[in-house]
Amino acid sequence: MRGRRAGAAGIPARTSSPDARYESPHGVLADTSPTSRELGFYVHMPFCQTRCHFCSFNTAPFDREALARYLEAVHREIALVGSLPWAGAITIVSVFLGGGTPSLLHPDDVAALLRALGARVPVASDAEVTLECNPESVSVDTFAGYRAAGVTRFSLGVQALDDTVLARLGRLHSARDAHAAFVAARAAGADNVSVDLMYGLPGVDVAAWIRTIDQVLDWQPDHLSAYGLTLDAGSRWGAAGVPDLPPEGVVVEQYWALARCAQRRGFEHYEISNYARPGFRSRHNQIYWRAAEYLAGGPGACGFIGDVRYGNHKPVPRYVSALAAGTLPLETWERLTPRQRQAERLILGLRTADGVPRAWLDERVAADARLERLATDWEEAGLLRRDSGRAVLTESGFLLSDALFVELL
């Protein structure tokens, strides 16, 4: 449905066949304890009616029998997670149902999953529970059903508001469908609705992009995510390419147009690709950006516990088979070194408007004269600030952040 969700794709773990070293069905997670008592939980629902041309996520064609097997397996995975030796000592503070197209799930299925999780692992009474939705698969009744099931936040995958562009992306909804879905969410009482958009799309100039931004902001969403198109390996466009992509200069103009429009409407640019009204930052995604800990459920989902990053089997049949055999469906895992943890905390934290403690960056660059010169150059160019005990990228620094992140790794 969209990119940049750590729990969905994650950073690939490096060690295969994790259970080879562990007789426990819990694998490496049985020997790993969280360092925090508050965790997130990402659940991946892989099925889609059709695969968007830009998508590189772990998806599968929608099939009701496969969906039933998947749901049974997810319940088994939750039960196994709940029997981990440390499961009773943690609290889940956020749940994110991503995909794929989670809005293909019936509200009763979502309710059953959330009940199963709460029965096995402590869940905070005020936990944020997000469900990703495609506009063509929701209505007032389904939104109301999801809210009754325990969903507190909806992420609506709009991407564009030009029907020609939407068809080219491989989307199944129209611009009218997108607006109707947002209206339906509000009519069902949803008070925390995020909208996803994409820029840098083929055939979309700056003026058209600004019209899209203004239309969406006129809806008065609570949160806005906007990602530049990337031709990732595994996507149709990544393999075959796509004509009419705007030049880099136009993409940069689109980035700045969004930043200005969102600021005028009272949104804070709190992460490179995310904007929110005060009080509506995504609590779940901030777990990723703070390099905090989160559990993973579903095929291809990635989690991070203690010093272990892990990923589940991606193919749905393999995921289902592992759980039918009574084992957690771990395919890959790695223990991060202190150096890896330091670099990831810096990179993820610098993606946010809050930045990181200055001491973290100073420690990283102190032993490398080249990095220190680079950080100084960025400060002098107005891309980085190191003051008041924090290191923070500016708006211009956000735009060029990948260049710094590569060096920090």
Side-chain angles (χ1 to χ4, degrees):
M1 196 169 158
R2 63 190 172 103
R4 288 75 174 177
R5 275 180 283 109
I11 304 171
R14 300 176 183 174
T15 303
S16 298
S17 302
D19 291 338
R21 290 178 49 198
Y22 298 92
E23 294 182 2
S24 165
H26 301 101
V28 66
L29 295 186
D31 289 349
T32 304
S33 296
T35 60
S36 171
R37 296 182 65 88
E38 296 186 344
L39 276 68
F41 201 131
Y42 175 80
V43 181
H44 191 68
M45 207 296 282
F47 299 104
C48 289
Q49 293 281 16
T50 186
R51 185 179 175 89
C52 299
H53 300 163
F54 59 83
C55 179
S56 61
F57 278 150
N58 187 46
T59 63
F62 181 65
D63 174 86
R64 293 199 178 278
E65 290 185 3
L67 175 61
R69 291 191 294 271
Y70 157 82
L71 287 170
E72 182 180 356
V74 171
H75 279 269
R76 289 176 174 172
E77 185 174 17
I78 289 172
L80 283 173
V81 167
S83 65
L84 286 164
W86 41 261
I90 63 166
T91 300
I92 301 299
V93 296
S94 70
V95 180
F96 197 108
L97 296 165
T101 310
S103 50
L104 291 174
L105 292 172
H106 191 278
D108 289 346
D109 294 327
V110 175
L113 284 176
L114 294 176
R115 281 197 305 270
L117 180 60
R120 296 287 186 171
V121 184
V123 177
S125 60
D126 64 344
E128 177 189 86
V129 181
T130 301
L131 186 135
E132 288 190 334
C133 305
N134 275 3
E136 74 279 358
S137 58
V138 287
S139 65
V140 174
D141 288 343
T142 53
F143 278 122
Y146 291 139
R147 293 191 71 235
V151 176
T152 66
R153 181 177 183 270
F154 296 100
S155 179
L156 191 62
V158 171
Q159 315 308 357
L161 286 179
D162 181 306
D163 288 350
T164 300
V165 174
L166 286 166
R168 194 170 183 186
L169 290 171
R171 305 295 284 175
L172 296 179
H173 68 271
S174 66
R176 179 175 293 183
D177 294 334
H179 183 237
F182 186 89
V183 171
R186 291 299 200 212
D191 58 3
N192 193 345
V193 183
S194 179
V195 172
D196 281 5
L197 293 175
M198 296 182 71
Y199 60 95
L201 296 176
V204 178
D205 60 19
V206 175
W209 171 240
I210 291 175
R211 287 195 297 272
T212 295
I213 300 166
D214 284 337
Q215 283 179 266
V216 167
L217 293 179
D218 283 345
W219 301 353
Q220 298 186 7
D222 307 293
H223 186 279
L224 178 66
S225 296
Y227 302 100
L229 174 67
T230 56
L231 302 183
D232 294 327
S235 70
R236 176 175 173 178
W237 280 355
V242 55
D244 302 326
L245 289 175
E248 183 178 354
V250 170
V251 177
V252 170
E253 287 185 61
Q254 291 177 347
Y255 168 89
W256 280 111
L258 171 61
R260 289 190 293 267
C261 289
Q263 183 180 39
R264 285 197 298 268
R265 300 294 190 102
F267 284 73
E268 60 168 339
H269 190 182
Y270 75 100
E271 193 271 342
I272 290 175
S273 301
N274 288 273
Y275 302 77
R277 295 189 184 280
F280 285 93
R281 292 184 179 190
S282 167
R283 288 165 57 189
H284 185 85
N285 285 341
Q286 286 184 104
I287 290 175
Y288 303 149
W289 300 323
R290 291 169 180 164
E293 294 162 289
Y294 51 96
L295 290 159
C302 295
F304 179 66
I305 299 296
D307 61 353
V308 172
R309 183 165 55 217
Y310 66 97
N312 285 347
H313 291 296
K314 289 184 177 181
V316 175
R318 193 178 303 167
Y319 167 81
V320 169
S321 295
L323 286 156
T327 63
L328 282 174
L330 306 186
E331 181 177 37
T332 59
W333 65 270
E334 66 173 321
R335 290 195 182 274
L336 301 188
T337 66
R339 172 67 176 270
Q340 287 175 304
R341 285 288 286 144
Q342 179 193 48
E344 290 189 9
R345 286 192 310 172
L346 277 173
I347 289 170
L348 293 169
L350 286 171
R351 289 184 61 91
T352 71
D354 296 332
V356 298
R358 174 174 178 165
W360 291 7
L361 182 60
D362 288 348
E363 179 184 353
R364 176 69 184 93
V365 303
D368 189 325
R370 184 182 57 84
L371 276 182
E372 181 57 61
R373 285 195 302 272
L374 177 65
T376 300
D377 289 346
W378 275 56
E379 282 186 285
E380 293 175 352
L383 305 175
L384 171 70
R385 296 197 312 271
R386 285 190 283 186
D387 52 31
S388 302
R390 307 291 295 179
V392 181
L393 293 181
T394 65
E395 189 80 57
S396 297
F398 275 173
L399 184 60
L400 299 173
S401 58
D402 284 350
L404 178 62
F405 295 163
V406 167
E407 299 292 342
L408 291 176
L409 280 173

